[in-house]
């Protein structure tokens, strides 16, 4: 576009000089002639060349100006933006989802649009007790208590996962396109009421061991795999969420930990174990995504644990992290 405009300006300069000159002393200059041609690719080319005569009168000037004006729409049309992978620009409600969300060039129609995964909230009631060393456990959303007063613990799971235990599909099976596999092994929430419980327990977790700080080894019936006691801490962070304390809305600090550990036994490669590469250990095969918080007024530690193996992690790692981060505790 800039190139064509430069040509037009260059051509109009002598015309402008002629318009403001005296008719009794016509200026002598070359009139530029334009020739348009179209290439095999549909692109209009403009060739400018000088004529063989130098005399210019008013009639020639008007013809020259009309020719220049006719080039302007050609210059604009030749510079229209086209994209190699151009989308339909209709964007109507009848179009597909891609057309409604994206512009023809691939950018978002509304930059403020956030496409969120559809989720289902799982809520459980946990009792509060004045006694110490009391463990209350919920597995995959089971209700540990029917008390109306206590703690409300919740988390969110994707609706694309199978959440019906009576279904023929395994629990947490993702049958969406490209997945078709179990996404999670188990989701556990538990509370522990113990003496002298405060947030310092979680602050020191990375130093003394996350599993030990969260009393995972104290849960009855060897609930968690013993390997978690020696799990490696891959990452950790803190988040803040609102919690109601009477008529006051306060902030509750949650500690999130990513734990992973290898199997306790690692057979040799010659014995059919393809995971053993001769390095003396096997790669991680169990991942625990943990979120924990301490309610100091109740003296209660509340923990959410999302368990998966390496195959489930490959299928749904982003979904698994969202489930863990949705863990929340509120007072009933």
């Amino acid at each position: 576009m800039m190139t064509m405009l430069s040509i037009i300006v260059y051509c109009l300069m002598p015309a402008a000089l002629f318009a403001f000159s005296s008719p009794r002393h016509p200026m002598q200059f070359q009139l530029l002639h334009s020739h348009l041609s179209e290439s095999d690719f549909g692109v209009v080319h403009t060739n400018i060349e000088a004529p063989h005569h130098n005399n210019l009168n008013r009639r020639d000037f008007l013809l020259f100006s009309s020719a220049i004006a006719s080039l302007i729409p050609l210059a604009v049309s030749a510079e229209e933006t086209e994209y190699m992978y151009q989308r339909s620009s209709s964007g109507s409600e009848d179009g597909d989802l891609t057309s409604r969300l994206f512009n023809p060039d691939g950018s978002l129609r509304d930059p403020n649009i956030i496409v969120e995964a559809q989720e289902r909230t799982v809520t459980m009631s946990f009792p509060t007790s004045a006694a110490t060393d009391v463990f209350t456990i919920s597995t995959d959303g089971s209700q540990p208590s029917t008390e109306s007063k206590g703690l409300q613990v919740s988390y969110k799971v994707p609706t694309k996962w199978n959440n019906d235990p009576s279904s023929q599909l395994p629990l947490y099976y993702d049958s969406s396109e490209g997945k078709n596999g179990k996404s999670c092994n188990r989701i556990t929430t538990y509370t522990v009421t113990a003496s002298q419980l405060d947030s310092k327990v979680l602050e020191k977790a990375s130093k003394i061991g996350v599993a030990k700080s969260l009393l995972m080894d104290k849960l009855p019936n060897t609930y968690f795999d013993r390997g978690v006691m020696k799990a490696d801490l891959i990452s950790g962070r803190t988040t803040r969420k609102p919690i109601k304390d009477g008529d006051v809305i306060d902030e509750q600090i949650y500690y999130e930990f990513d734990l992973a550990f290898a199997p306790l036994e690692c057979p040799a490669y010659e014995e059919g174990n393809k995971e053993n590469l001769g390095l003396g250990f096997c790669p991680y095969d169990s991942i625990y995504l943990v979120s924990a918080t301490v309610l100091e007024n109740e003296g209660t530690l509340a923990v959410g644990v999302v368990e998966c193996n390496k195959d489930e992690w490959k299928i749904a790692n982003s979904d698994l992290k969202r489930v863990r981060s949705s863990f929340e505790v509120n007072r009933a």
Side-chain angles (χ1 to χ4, degrees):
M1 184 67 182
M2 293 301 297
T3 303
M4 184 59 68
L5 289 177
S6 301
I7 296 174
I8 294 173
V9 172
Y10 178 79
C11 295
L12 287 177
M13 286 178 62
L17 292 173
F18 176 82
F20 291 98
S21 63
S22 172
R24 297 182 181 180
H25 302 282
M27 298 181 64
Q28 302 295 321
F29 59 90
Q30 290 185 337
L31 175 64
L32 301 179
H33 291 267
S34 62
H35 299 277
L36 302 179
S37 62
E38 187 172 347
S39 68
D40 295 336
F41 296 94
V43 179
V44 177
H45 296 281
T46 304
N47 296 326
I48 306 297
E49 64 182 28
H52 298 289
H53 57 84
N54 295 328
N55 295 326
L56 182 67
N57 54 34
R58 291 185 180 276
R59 180 175 177 274
D60 292 334
F61 168 73
L62 294 175
L63 292 175
F64 172 74
S65 300
S66 300
I68 291 298
S70 66
L71 291 177
I72 295 178
L74 292 175
V76 174
S77 62
E79 292 293 332
E80 288 183 353
T81 304
E82 293 187 1
Y83 304 96
M84 184 175 296
Y85 303 103
Q86 186 158 345
R87 303 182 187 275
S88 172
S89 58
S90 61
S92 64
E93 293 297 328
D94 298 333
D96 58 13
L97 180 60
T98 301
S99 299
R100 295 200 300 269
L101 290 179
F102 296 95
N103 293 313
D105 63 349
S107 61
L108 278 172
R109 289 188 178 275
D110 183 357
N112 296 320
I113 290 179
I114 300 177
V115 182
E116 296 182 352
Q118 295 184 350
E119 298 169 324
R120 181 178 69 90
T121 302
V122 180
T123 305
M124 298 139 291
S125 297
F126 281 78
T128 54
S129 174
T132 58
D133 299 330
V134 176
F135 291 80
T136 307
I137 304 173
S138 170
T139 304
D140 297 322
S142 61
Q143 289 293 340
S145 174
T146 58
E147 288 187 11
S148 58
K149 294 183 178 180
L151 299 177
Q152 295 289 333
V153 179
S154 65
Y155 58 85
K156 298 177 181 179
V157 293
T159 55
K160 63 182 179 179
W161 290 3
N162 173 40
N163 294 290
D164 184 6
S166 61
S167 173
Q168 295 182 351
L169 293 174
L171 190 63
Y172 307 134
Y173 189 91
D174 187 350
S175 56
S176 58
E177 184 177 357
K179 302 291 186 178
N180 291 322
K182 203 170 185 298
S183 299
C184 180
N185 183 27
R186 183 174 63 176
I187 301 176
T188 302
T189 53
Y190 67 92
T191 59
V192 182
T193 302
S195 59
Q196 299 179 347
L197 261 178
D198 55 32
S199 58
K200 293 181 180 179
V201 174
L202 300 178
E203 293 175 3
K204 299 177 181 179
S206 60
K207 296 180 180 180
I208 64 176
V210 174
K212 184 177 180 180
S213 299
L214 301 181
L215 305 175
M216 288 185 173
D217 57 332
K218 303 296 183 182
L219 268 67
N221 303 321
T222 316
Y223 187 88
F224 289 113
D225 190 312
R226 295 295 91 183
V228 73
M229 300 306 298
K230 297 182 179 180
D232 293 332
L233 176 59
I234 306 302
S235 65
R237 67 166 189 164
T238 60
T239 61
R240 296 175 181 270
K241 300 177 185 178
I243 186 171
K244 190 173 182 180
D245 187 3
D247 296 331
V248 180
I249 302 299
D250 201 356
E251 277 189 339
Q252 188 70 22
I253 301 177
Y254 291 77
Y255 290 76
E256 295 184 355
F257 306 101
D258 295 357
L259 305 177
F261 57 94
L264 297 178
E265 296 182 1
C266 187
Y269 184 88
E270 293 77 11
E271 299 177 10
N273 182 17
K274 296 182 179 180
E275 299 290 342
N276 191 337
L277 302 179
L279 301 177
F281 59 88
C282 285
Y284 299 132
D285 68 343
S286 297
I287 298 96
Y288 282 25
L289 303 179
V290 182
S291 180
T293 188
V294 173
L295 292 90
E296 297 186 2
N297 293 344
E298 290 80 1
T300 300
L301 168 69
V303 184
V305 183
V306 181
E307 302 176 43
C308 68
N309 57 38
K310 61 179 184 296
D311 295 326
E312 294 164 345
W313 176 257
K314 292 177 182 178
I315 292 176
N317 56 80
S318 59
D319 290 328
L320 291 166
K321 289 182 178 180
R322 278 195 292 268
V323 173
R324 183 269 306 280
S325 295
S326 67
F327 176 74
E328 192 169 341
V329 181
N330 284 288
R331 296 182 177 92

